[in-house]
Each structure stands twice: as structure tokens, then as C-alpha cells.
């Protein structure tokens, strides 16, 4: 559906003239067979603004980014770049115009140096030979200039995910970019890295670069953006100036649900201890003592790399402990493998869906059943009917949006994938559930569903360890909150017993 | 959401696999029909028996290979195992061991080789390509060393008669394919270990965190591949009546080609039992047909190569578009 009246006055004006949007969409639409991914959207990005886009997973944000960066062709509608219609049919065309994107997952070469990555595709060479030292020097100057405290000569893979993300942003920022899209850039960043990224974004804004910022974190949207657009179910439901809206308003537009309903928490009286660690040490953490009781959520907060994931994976038998004790139901146990942990009644939904949580190119049903095949097929032979029933029950119970159990997990949206990661443990009969960053990259609606699941588990007498780098989440949900810093447990707090500032200070260690 | 993902939603994976299997089967039938018109001798009982015997050994190797490839690995040693075990079984028979004992001991050798591969991959952390490449060359060396390079003739007629025998009009070698393929099919599609094979090939870490004993599954895949290869060694020894370590040169590539033509993905997590079977018999038909048509055998190799490219290319297109 194209706009019926082309705005003739905006055509052919010189670039940079105020009032001409840098990029304008008129009735932009994307259909797939069976899905209307983006319904006709009309939106103008003003030159030099920071424009946030919010919406639940599957609301059409990814589709919009892919259309703008030329990754997929549009079904109908028009795109105007500085008033001129453009095709944007290939990524190359987008890059030539100055449109770039920084993706949630870093898409760079881990085995090359930081400098080589920054110059990838436009290496400096003399007589066909690469000028390594010159490139490293140049890259280091750029990084220093941006205020990133990062070395240019090391291999990209040696940096943390957060640091790699900063390099990706720096790379995009230094390529004559005029329109830069950030897709959930802070999902894996520490606070300090996020601050550096925000400094970079502000700097780009000052240089007149137009920024599109996609995030689930409301406070970031309010901190950075000048305007915000809301997508819901593939429909652009509105655009607001940031001064004329608030968090509650945006969430209502996104999901038609109020904010109080998101952090759903029912209080249960804690029962007897399920798991106790006494002075447990292992790779990446030292001397951690915690107790998880029935009906209780124990939150582990800290910066990324503080040792929380290492702690829980060690409890789960993935790594060997080096010191300390683990008590299960009051009895000391040695958990040597994941299978032993599962046998005891521990379930772990790991941090990274892609790397640890899912078999992406296998069917949804197989993923859901993977931990229960020992029960489903004690003799080894599987009853296809039972397997199918079990998968279908899970899909229905968790409201996983998928055409069926045979669909590949890779074709689901992030939130629905996360439901599989969590859901595959629900009917397993575990007593202790460990959720490591269960809501990273998950939309508000799915978050609320996940929190409700927590309540359900607690009501059945299970205990939960919840790891989150998002303070409001652990703060609102945890009955006991432990703060980690550099592999050590530095403080413990009761429900709402300390302020946000207090906890942050402990985690950062200033 | 991309085109890939959305089209994939249209049809469940299982149904697509069946469709692909049917296309391959249609291709095989088409080849048979064409050869039937082009030659006088193709549809003779003798030739069909011959074709089935030719394809059988590759087919069994290809099934074992497929298990390994599904885990994301590769087994380059299967050809060498065939040659090596043909020597071993000939020796056992020469020593006067009863057939059943010679067979069982030879198969145990196969299991041991598979365990060694598993050990190299799981314990020593070697890439499958490397450890099986190493056994590929050393097994041939060991075989030659034992026999001092000579060929051992098998004088046990009972043993060699088996390969020429027919049961219900079908060559016994082909019955062996069925004997391997049916349990293999049940293992891969109707047992929990089959699911684990796919899970390990798709994402070993996710499988591990879901409680799957990943090392055990890797051991299983390589042991099955080596076991099947030693079984083929027995069949080959029976068929040609000799044991020689240089036999079955390049069969590992035939097996990999059959598997890949049959839709197995070298990236792991995609594969079936019927696929490599069809792949093996398509390759056998091409060889057989080329012989009948008096095509230079050099051309056969070229045709096989081209065929691999064409079939796998279309398979990928199908996966991409649904």
C-alpha cells in the first residue's frame, strides 16, 4: 500500500535542509507466506534525532531493521532517503547511503585483531600488502578518541562480549555512517560499558548522525531518545516525543497491560532448605555459601563476569568444585555431571539460548523433550505418540507461538525460544530451578509470563535461583538477594531490605 | 524473521525429508528406466544381482558414516577398516578358527577401532578429521605389515560361498543391508539415543546441559561406524576371497558421498537412514550403467563428482525455500 499523495514539496530539496526527514517510510509493508510481519507503516526519521523503537518480540522490530538495512525486500510501500525514493534492495545499497546497524549478537571475526575487524573490508594497503601497524595505530586512535579503554592489537575473541559490542559500535560509527541502528546493544553490557556506549551515541548525535535505538529497557529509552515509536503485532501504533510520554504509557501501548502486572510476585512461606552450599569454590568463584529453601527465590546480582554463572554451573556439575560442600536436602552430595544434577532434581536454564540452551536446527518438540527422554523412553525406545503429546502439551501450556512441534527452534522469535529453554524443565519434576538471565532479549509480555511461571513453581514447593544483571528484576522478585563481585559473594539482603543504590555500589565495588 | 524461517514454517521437517527421499527414489528409478532402454543387459537378473551386491557394501558404510556426520563429525577411516578387517578375518580363517569365531573377533576389532576414535575425540580433544585420518593411514600400514604386503587367500569355501548366495532370489549381500538398516533406522528415529545423536550434532553444550551424556553418544557414533565398516570388511573378504589391506581404497569417500547425496548435512544434526541407502545405490547404478554403456571409467569419476554437486545444491535450495 503506497501513500496516495506524494509530498511534492519535499522532493528535490538540498540535503541537510531542516524539515526534510533523512529517512521516510510511506506505507512500508512486509508479508511472508502466512504472516503479516509489518503492516503498512508510515514514519519519518528526522535528521540527527535519536529515535527509539520499542515493542514486544515478534512485534516487527527485526523486520523493520532488515527492511531498512536492505537485508530483505519489502512487499510494498516506499522509502525516501532525504526526499528521494530509494530501492534499498541490498545491504550494499544501504551501506552506500550511510545506513549501518549494530546487532545484538556481534557479527565480526573473533580470530582477527580488533584493528583488523575495524578495517574489515576497507583495509589500508600499499602495493597490495596490508599495512598492519598503520591500521592498528589508526584503530587505537579511534578507540582512544571515543574514550573506549580497549586495545586495538588484541584478538577480538579475547575481549568480553560487552567489549566486542563496543568495537562493533565503534566500527559502525567510523564508516561515514549517517543513519545508525542499534539493536538491543546493551543486552550483554556491564554498566560501565553501557555508559561508554551511551557516550558514543551522544557524540554521534552531536555530529548529526541519526540514531535508531531498539531496546527493551525503558530507562535507556528515556535516557537517550528524543522520540519513540511503538510497534505491536506488526503495527506501528504510535510515535511520541519523549517529553510527552512515560514508561506506563509506552508499556500500555506495547502490550495493553499495566506495569504492576509485570513483576508478578506471590509470597510463600519458605519451607525447609533444598540446596545449601558451604564455602563452595570453583573456576571463577570462591567461598560462596548460600541456601535455597522451598518456595523461595534466591537472586544473584552482579556485573557480567562476577562469577554467578560459574557458580551455578558448578553446582549443576558442569565444572569441578575445588573446595567447599554442597548439601542437598541436608545431606552432603558430590555432583560430578549434569546428568547427576538432573537426577537429583536440579534444572538449569542457561544464560545463552544460542550457545547453551537450544538445538536451533532441530524441532521445537525435540528441544522440549530433550531432558525427559530418559523418563519418556526408559527402555530406549520412544513412543512417538507420547513424545508428540508431551511436546504439544508444553507448547499449549507455555503458549509458545509456533506452527507446530516439528517446526525448527531457529524460526521462533527470541521470546518463544526462551520459553522452550525454560519450559523444557517444567514437567521434569525438579526441586531446584536455576534461571540464568531468563529474560535477556525477551519482551515485556513474555517476561510477565515467565514471572508467573516462577510463582507456579514456588507454589509447588520448588526453590529458584534467579541470576540477573537487570537490577529491577532481581530486586522485585528475589526473597533473598546475594550480590557477587569478582567471584565472591559480597553481601546478602532480604526482600526490599536495601536500596538500588546500595546494591549497585556493592556490585561495582566503589 | 527471514524468508528462510518463514518458509520453514509452512511444512514440517519430517514431511520434507520424506519428499526428498521420494525425489531421490524417483531419480534412482529414472536411472533404471533409462538404462533399461539404453542397454540390453541392464534388466537381466545377473546384472541386477551384481548391482545390488555392488551397492550393498557402500550402503552399509554410508549408514555408519551418517551416524558420525549427524554428530557433526566425519569418519575417514572406514575404507581402511574394510581393508584391514579383510586381512584380519583371512588370518583367523587361515589359523583354522571356525567362521563364527573369526567373524565375532573381526567385529570386535572394529569396535576397538571405534572406541579408539571416540577416545581420541573425547579424551584427547582431537578433531574427528585428524584422528580418523591418522587411523586411515596407520591401519593400512598395520595390515600390510602383518601380511608383509602379501595377499591372503581364503580357502574356506563355506565363507566365500555366502557372498554368492541368494535368499528368496535376492543376493545375500543385499539382505545384509536390510539387516543393518532396519535396526539402524529404529536406533536413529525411534530411540532416545537417536534423538541424542541429533542433539549433540546440533548443539553439544545444550545437549550436555540437558543431561545428555555427550561423550557416550560420540563413542556410540564412531563405534557404530567402525563396526559397520568391519562388517563390510567381512563381506568384501567373502566376496573376493582374499584379505588385502590395500582393498577398498577410497571407499570412505564413496560412503561420505552417498551420505551427502542422501541429504545428510556435513554441519551435523540432519540425516536419515534411507537417504544414504538411496545415495549408495544411485552411485552404484551410475557405475554399473557406465560399465554397461562402455563409458570410460575415468568419466564415471567425473560424473559422480558432478552429481554430488548438483544433488547437494538442489537439496540446499530445497532447505532454503521449503
Amino acid at each position: 500500500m503506497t501513500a496516495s499523495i506524494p509530498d511534492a514539496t519535499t522532493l528535490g530539496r538540498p540535503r541537510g535542509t531542516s524539515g526534510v526527514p533523512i529517512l521516510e517510510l510511506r506505507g512500508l509493508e512486509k508479508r511472508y507466506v502466512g504472516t503479516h510481519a509489518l503492516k503498512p507503516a508510515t514514519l519519518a526519521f528526522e535528521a540527527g534525532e535519536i529515535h527509539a523503537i520499542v515493542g514486544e518480540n515478534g512485534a516487527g522490530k527485526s523486520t523493520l531493521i532488515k527492511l531498512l538495512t536492505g537485508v530483505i525486500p519489502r512487499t510494498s510501500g516506499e522509502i525516501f532517503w532525504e526526499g528521494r525514493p530509494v530501492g534499498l534492495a541490498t545491504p550494499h545499497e544501504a551501506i552506500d547511503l550511510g545506513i549501518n546497524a549494530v546487532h545484538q549478537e556481534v557479527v565480526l571475526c573473533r580470530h582477527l585483531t580488533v584493528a583488523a575487524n575495524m578495517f574489515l573490508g576497507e583495509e589500508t594497503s600499499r602495493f597490495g600488502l596490508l599495512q598492519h601497524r598503520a591500521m592498528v595505530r589508526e584503530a587505537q586512535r579511534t578507540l582512544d578518541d571515543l574514550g573506549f579503554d580497549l586495545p586495538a592489537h588484541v584478538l577480538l575473541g579475547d575481549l568480553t562480549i560487552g567489549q566486542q559490542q563496543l568495537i562493533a559500535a565503534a566500527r559502525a560509527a567510523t564508516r561515514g555512517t549517517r543513519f545508525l541502528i542499534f539493536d538491543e546493544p546493551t543486552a550483554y553490557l556491564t554498566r560501565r560499558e553501557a555508559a561508554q556506549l551511551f557516550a558514543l551515541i551522544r557524540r554521534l548525535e552531536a555530529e548529526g548522525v541519526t540514531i535508531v535505538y531498539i531496546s527493551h529497557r525503558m530507562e535507556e529509552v528515556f535516557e537517550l531518545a528524543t522520540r519513540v515509536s511503538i510497534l505491536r503485532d506488526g503495527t506501528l501504533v504510535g510515535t511520541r516525543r519523549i517529553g510527552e510520554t512515560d514508561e506506563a504509557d509506552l508499556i500500555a501501548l506495547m502490550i495493553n497491560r499495566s506495569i504492576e502486572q509485570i513483576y508478578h510476585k506471590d509470597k510463600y512461606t519458605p519451607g525447609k532448605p533444598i540446596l545449601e552450599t558451604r564455602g563452595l569454590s570453583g573456576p571463577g568463584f570462591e567461598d560462596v555459601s548460600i541456601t535455597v529453601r522451598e518456595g523461595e527465590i534466591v537472586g544473584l546480582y552482579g556485573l557480567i563476569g562476577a562469577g554467578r554463572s560459574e557458580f551455578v554451573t558448578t553446582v549443576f556439575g558442569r565444572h569441578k568444585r575445588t573446595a567447599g560442600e554442597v548439601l542437598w536436602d541436608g545431606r552432603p552430595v558430590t555432583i560430578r555431571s549434569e546428568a547427576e544434577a538432573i537426577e537429583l532434581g536440579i534444572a538449569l536454564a542457561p544464560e545463552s539460548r544460542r550457545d547453551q540452551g537450544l538445538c536451533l536446527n532441530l524441532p521445537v518438540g525435540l528441544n522440549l523433550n530433550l531432558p525427559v527422554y530418559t523418563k519418556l523412553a526408559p527402555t530406549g525406545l520412544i513412543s512417538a505418540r507420547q513424545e508428540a503429546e508431551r511436546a504439544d502439551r508444553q507448547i499449549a501450556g507455555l503458549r509458545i507461538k509456533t506452527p507446530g512441534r516439528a517446526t525448527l527452534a531457529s524460526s521462533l522469535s527470541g521470546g518463544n525460544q526462551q520459553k522452550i529453554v525454560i519450559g523444557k524443565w517444567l514437567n521434569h519434576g525438579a526441586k531446584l530451578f536455576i534461571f540464568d538471565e531468563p529474560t535477556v532479549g525477551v519482551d515485556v509480555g513474555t517476561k510477565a509470563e515467565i514471572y508467573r511461571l516462577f510463582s507456579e513453581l514456588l507454589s509447588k514447593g520448588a526453590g529458584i535461583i534467579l541470576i540477573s544483571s537487570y537490577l529491577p528484576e532481581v530486586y522485585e522478585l528475589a526473597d533473598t538477594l546475594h550480590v557477587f563481585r569478582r567471584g565472591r559473594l559480597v553481601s546478602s539482603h532480604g526482600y526490599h531490605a536495601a536500596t538500588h543504590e546500595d546494591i549497585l555500589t556493592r556490585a561495582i565495588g566503589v | 524473521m527471514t524468508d528462510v524461517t518463514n518458509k520453514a514454517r509452512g511444512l514440517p521437517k519430517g514431511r520434507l525429508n520424506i519428499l526428498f527421499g521420494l525425489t531421490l527414489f524417483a531419480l534412482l528409478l529414472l536411472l533404471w528406466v533409462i538404462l533399461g532402454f539404453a542397454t540390453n543387459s541392464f534388466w537381466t537378473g545377473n546384472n541386477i544381482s551384481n548391482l545390488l551386491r555392488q551397492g550393498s557394501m557402500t550402503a552399509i558404510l554410508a549408514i555408519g558414516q551418517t551416524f558420525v556426520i549427524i554428530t557433526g563429525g566425519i569418519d575417514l577411516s572406514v575404507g581402511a577398516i574394510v581393508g584391514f578387517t579383510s586381512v584380519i578375518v583371512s588370518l583367523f580363517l587361515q589359523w583354522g578358527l571356525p567362521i563364527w569365531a573369526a567373524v565375532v573377533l573381526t567385529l570386535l576389532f572394529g569396535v576397538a577401532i571405534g572406541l579408539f576414535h571416540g577416545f581420541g575425540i573425547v579424551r584427547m580433544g582431537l578433531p574427528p578429521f585428524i584422528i580418523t585420518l591418522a587411523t586411515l593411514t596407520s591401519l593400512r600400514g598395520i595390515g600390510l605389515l602383518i601380511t608383509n604386503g602379501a595377499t591372503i587367500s581364503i580357502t574356506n569355501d563355506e565363507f566365500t560361498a555366502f557372498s554368492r548366495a541368494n535368499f528368496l532370489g535376492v543376493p545375500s549381500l543385499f539382505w545384509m543391508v536390510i539387516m543393518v538398516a532396519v535396526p539402524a533406522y529404529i536406533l536413529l528415529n525411534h530411540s532416545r539415543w537417536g534423538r541424542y545423536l541429533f542433539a549433540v550434532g546440533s548443539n553439544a553444550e545444550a545437549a550436555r546441559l540437558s543431561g545428555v551424556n555427550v561423550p557416550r553418544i560420540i563413542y556410540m557414533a564412531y563405534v557404530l561406524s567402525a563396526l559397520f565398516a568391519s562388517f563390510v570388511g567381512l563381506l568384501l573378504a567373502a566376496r573376493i576371497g582374499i584379505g588385502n589391506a590395500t582393498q577398498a581404497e577410497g571407499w570412505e569417500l564413496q560412503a561420505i558421498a552417498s551420505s551427502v547425496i542422501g541429504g545428510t548435512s556435513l554441519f551435523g544434526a540432519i540425516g536419515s537412514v534411507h537417504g544414504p541407502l538411496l545415495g549408495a545405490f544411485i552411485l552404484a547404478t551410475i557405475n554399473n550403467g557406465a560399465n554397461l554403456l562402455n563409458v570410460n571409467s575415468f568419466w564415471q569419476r567425473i560424473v559422480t563428482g558432478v552429481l554430488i554437486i548438483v544433488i547437494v545444491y538442489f537439496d540446499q535450495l530445497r532447505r532454503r525455500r521449503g
Side-chain angles (χ1 to χ4, degrees):
Chain A
M1 220 194 289
T2 50
S4 47
I5 313 158
D7 191 355
T9 56
T10 61
L11 297 174
R13 278 212 214 151
R15 49 164 63 183
T17 311
S18 61
V20 181
I22 183 159
L23 188 76
E24 192 179 352
L25 325 173
R26 290 192 198 153
L28 187 68
E29 182 184 14
K30 180 68 191 178
R31 274 174 194 277
Y32 294 107
V33 182
T35 333
H36 207 166
L38 185 67
K39 288 161 196 155
T42 298
L43 176 63
F45 296 97
E46 290 161 11
E49 74 168 334
I50 300 182
H51 196 117
I53 294 180
V54 296
E56 298 193 78
N57 281 333
K61 292 172 307 194
S62 312
T63 308
L64 184 60
I65 299 173
K66 283 179 184 157
L67 289 168
L68 294 183
T69 49
V71 177
I72 51 172
R74 57 189 183 242
T75 308
S76 70
E78 287 174 290
I79 303 177
F80 294 84
W81 177 257
E82 295 181 322
R84 293 186 315 276
V86 285
L88 274 186
T90 64
H92 219 92
E93 205 180 334
I95 291 167
D96 283 347
L97 287 174
I99 300 176
N100 260 306
V102 177
H103 298 281
Q104 188 178 346
E105 318 266 344
V106 179
V107 270
L108 289 174
C109 309
R110 296 171 41 83
H111 297 93
L112 296 182
T113 62
V114 168
N117 270 293
M118 288 183 65
F119 285 101
L120 200 63
E122 31 191 67
E123 288 85 354
T124 350
S125 62
R126 193 192 291 158
F127 313 123
L129 298 175
L130 292 180
Q131 300 293 97
H132 282 295
R133 256 174 301 169
M135 287 198 300
V136 170
R137 232 181 4 251
E138 181 66 25
Q140 190 64 60
R141 197 161 55 232
T142 309
L143 290 176
D144 293 346
D145 200 31
L146 292 169
F148 293 175
D149 181 19
L150 297 170
H153 62 275
V154 301
L155 293 185
L156 187 75
D158 292 342
L159 301 180
T160 66
I161 302 284
Q163 291 169 332
Q164 294 182 23
Q165 189 84 50
L166 289 179
I167 299 294
R171 177 183 137 93
T174 51
R175 307 202 135 199
T177 298
R178 302 191 51 218
F179 189 94
L180 186 53
I181 303 166
F182 287 93
D183 185 6
E184 294 238 24
T186 55
Y188 299 106
L189 296 197
T190 63
R191 231 184 140 69
R192 184 155 157 267
E193 288 163 350
Q196 290 181 337
L197 181 74
F198 289 180
L200 169 67
I201 291 174
R202 291 229 172 71
R203 190 191 157 112
L204 290 170
E205 182 195 22
E207 287 168 5
V209 177
T210 311
I211 310 276
V212 172
Y213 191 88
I214 291 164
S215 179
H216 285 121
R217 299 190 179 168
M218 286 296 161
E219 72 274 14
E220 290 176 1
V221 170
F222 283 93
E223 191 177 336
L224 283 173
T226 32
R227 290 198 301 161
V228 52
S229 289
I230 305 96
L231 282 167
R232 184 174 71 218
D233 293 334
T235 311
L236 183 68
V237 290
T239 299
R240 299 274 190 277
R241 297 228 152 259
I242 209 75
E244 297 162 3
T245 183
D246 58 28
E247 205 165 312
D249 180 37
L250 289 187
I251 289 177
L253 282 168
M254 278 161 64
I255 58 170
N256 282 331
R257 201 182 298 126
S258 78
I259 190 165
E260 290 77 31
Q261 287 172 283
I262 294 174
Y263 291 112
H264 174 88
K265 180 164 178 65
D266 300 315
K267 274 274 186 184
Y268 299 98
T269 332
K272 53 183 189 1
I274 301 170
L275 177 90
E276 238 178 297
T277 66
R278 289 190 190 152
L280 194 68
S281 299
F285 67 94
E286 252 177 85
D287 193 19
V288 175
S289 305
I290 67 162
T291 305
V292 188
R293 277 175 284 266
E294 293 171 345
E296 166 184 62
I297 297 183
V298 172
L300 306 185
Y301 177 72
L303 304 180
I304 288 176
R308 297 163 301 163
S309 301
E310 290 79 358
F311 168 67
V312 293
T313 45
T314 303
V315 168
F316 196 62
R318 179 72 179 83
H319 307 291
K320 266 207 177 100
R321 66 177 179 205
T322 52
E325 265 194 305
V326 178
L327 274 72
W328 180 262
D329 275 338
R331 282 188 311 278
V333 286
T334 309
I335 300 168
R336 277 176 297 259
S337 71
E338 299 83 355
E340 284 185 25
I342 293 165
E343 187 66 26
L344 270 183
I346 307 178
L348 171 76
E351 187 180 5
S352 164
R353 287 197 285 276
R354 189 175 287 265
D355 298 334
Q356 307 169 297
L358 288 173
C359 295
L360 282 171
N361 58 351
L362 292 179
V364 172
L366 201 160
N367 272 290
L368 282 168
N369 282 326
L370 197 52
V372 296
Y373 277 120
T374 32
K375 293 183 180 174
L376 211 54
T379 59
L381 286 187
I382 293 171
S383 143
R385 195 178 45 83
Q386 264 188 20
E387 186 189 23
E389 274 174 10
R390 186 156 193 141
D392 288 342
R393 213 165 43 233
Q394 292 286 76
I395 290 167
L398 291 160
R399 276 180 283 157
I400 297 172
K401 276 184 207 145
T402 167
R405 58 175 182 275
T407 304
L408 302 189
S410 57
S411 62
L412 268 57
S413 72
N416 284 301
Q417 289 182 353
Q418 188 65 25
K419 285 186 190 172
I420 301 178
V421 174
I422 293 175
K424 67 179 179 183
W425 293 109
L426 293 185
N427 288 335
H428 183 268
K431 276 291 274 180
L432 174 69
F433 292 83
I434 303 169
F435 296 109
D436 195 350
E437 304 283 4
T439 60
V440 165
V442 164
D443 59 78
V444 190
T446 309
K447 266 187 192 176
E449 287 181 45
I450 290 174
Y451 299 150
R452 247 166 242 288
L453 277 176
F454 289 180
S455 260
E456 216 176 286
L457 293 173
L458 295 178
S459 74
K460 290 179 191 155
I464 292 176
I465 297 179
L466 170 65
I467 296 183
S468 180
S469 300
Y470 187 55
L471 185 52
E473 180 172 85
V474 260
Y475 192 80
E476 296 303 325
L477 292 171
D479 298 289
T480 311
L481 180 56
H482 298 293
V483 181
F484 276 60
R485 186 175 77 236
R486 297 197 174 169
R488 288 179 173 277
L489 200 165
V490 290
S491 69
S492 304
H493 314 271
Y495 179 69
H496 277 206
T499 62
H500 275 219
E501 289 71 23
D502 227 19
I503 292 166
L504 256 180
T505 316
R506 303 259 187 198
I508 297 167
V510 279
Chain B
M1 261 183 283
T2 63
D3 273 340
V4 186
T5 59
N6 244 285
K7 297 290 166 61
R9 286 173 186 198
L11 270 174
K13 190 174 142 243
R15 213 171 298 160
L16 280 177
N17 274 344
I18 293 166
L19 276 181
F20 183 64
L22 286 178
T23 335
L24 277 185
F25 192 61
L27 176 65
L28 187 58
L29 287 182
L30 183 73
L31 284 174
W32 287 356
V33 169
I34 291 173
L35 286 171
F37 281 113
T39 67
N40 294 325
S41 43
F42 184 79
W43 280 115
T44 57
N46 227 345
N47 187 57
I48 293 295
S49 295
N50 206 17
L51 173 68
L52 290 181
R53 288 202 187 93
Q54 275 177 352
S56 293
M57 292 195 253
T58 321
I60 295 172
L61 289 182
I63 293 172
Q65 186 71 248
T66 301
F67 284 154
V68 167
I69 298 179
I70 286 175
T71 67
I74 194 105
D75 190 347
L76 296 177
S77 71
V78 292
I81 295 177
V82 172
F84 178 72
T85 46
S86 79
V87 169
I88 297 276
V89 74
S90 312
L91 272 181
F92 288 150
L93 291 172
Q94 202 176 40
W95 295 344
L97 260 67
I99 290 179
W100 67 264
V103 166
V104 169
L105 281 176
T106 306
L107 292 178
L108 283 178
F109 262 93
V111 170
I113 295 165
L115 286 173
F116 177 69
H117 289 155
F119 178 83
I121 293 160
V122 171
R123 293 279 158 180
M124 299 169 73
L126 294 173
F129 188 97
I130 299 299
I131 183 86
T132 58
L133 181 66
T135 37
L136 155 67
T137 149
S138 8
L139 276 180
R140 295 229 189 258
I142 296 171
L144 289 169
L145 207 59
I146 295 174
T147 60
N148 213 358
T151 296
I152 304 173
S153 300
I154 299 173
T155 47
N156 189 325
D157 289 335
E158 208 185 328
F159 183 72
T160 48
F162 174 77
S163 66
R164 289 186 300 273
N166 284 319
F167 180 66
L168 301 178
V170 174
S172 52
L173 281 182
F174 188 75
W175 283 111
M176 293 302 106
V177 175
I178 294 172
M179 204 182 88
V180 169
V182 170
Y185 174 81
I186 293 171
L187 177 73
L188 190 63
N189 295 298
H190 294 287
S191 86
R192 109 172 101 95
W193 303 288
R195 298 289 191 278
Y196 292 167
L197 274 174
F198 285 105
V200 167
S202 175
N203 187 342
E205 184 65 19
R208 186 174 178 164
L209 290 175
S210 299
V212 176
N213 188 333
V214 175
R216 191 182 295 167
I217 297 300
I218 303 241
Y219 271 109
M220 181 183 90
Y222 286 88
V223 164
L224 284 174
S225 177
L227 175 66
F228 288 7
S230 57
F231 184 58
V232 171
L234 293 174
L235 300 180
L236 180 68
R239 185 160 187 222
I240 59 179
I242 55 167
N244 185 318
T246 57
Q247 285 295 327
E249 190 94 52
W251 282 21
E252 61 282 343
L253 298 181
Q254 292 276 332
I256 295 168
S258 303
S259 186
V260 167
I261 288 175
T264 314
S265 162
L266 286 173
F267 296 108
I270 297 171
S272 64
V273 170
H274 60 265
L277 281 184
L278 288 168
F281 285 101
I282 286 173
L283 286 184
T285 304
I286 290 170
N287 284 337
N288 180 276
N291 285 337
L292 295 181
L293 291 168
N294 264 330
V295 177
N296 186 331
S297 72
F298 302 151
W299 273 106
Q300 292 178 23
R301 293 173 180 237
I302 298 172
V303 168
T304 307
V306 170
L307 196 78
I308 291 172
I309 295 173
V310 170
I311 292 183
V312 175
Y313 175 70
F314 279 108
D315 182 31
Q316 285 188 352
L317 276 190
R318 170 192 66 99
R319 283 185 208 288
R320 228 171 284 155
R321 301 211 182 127

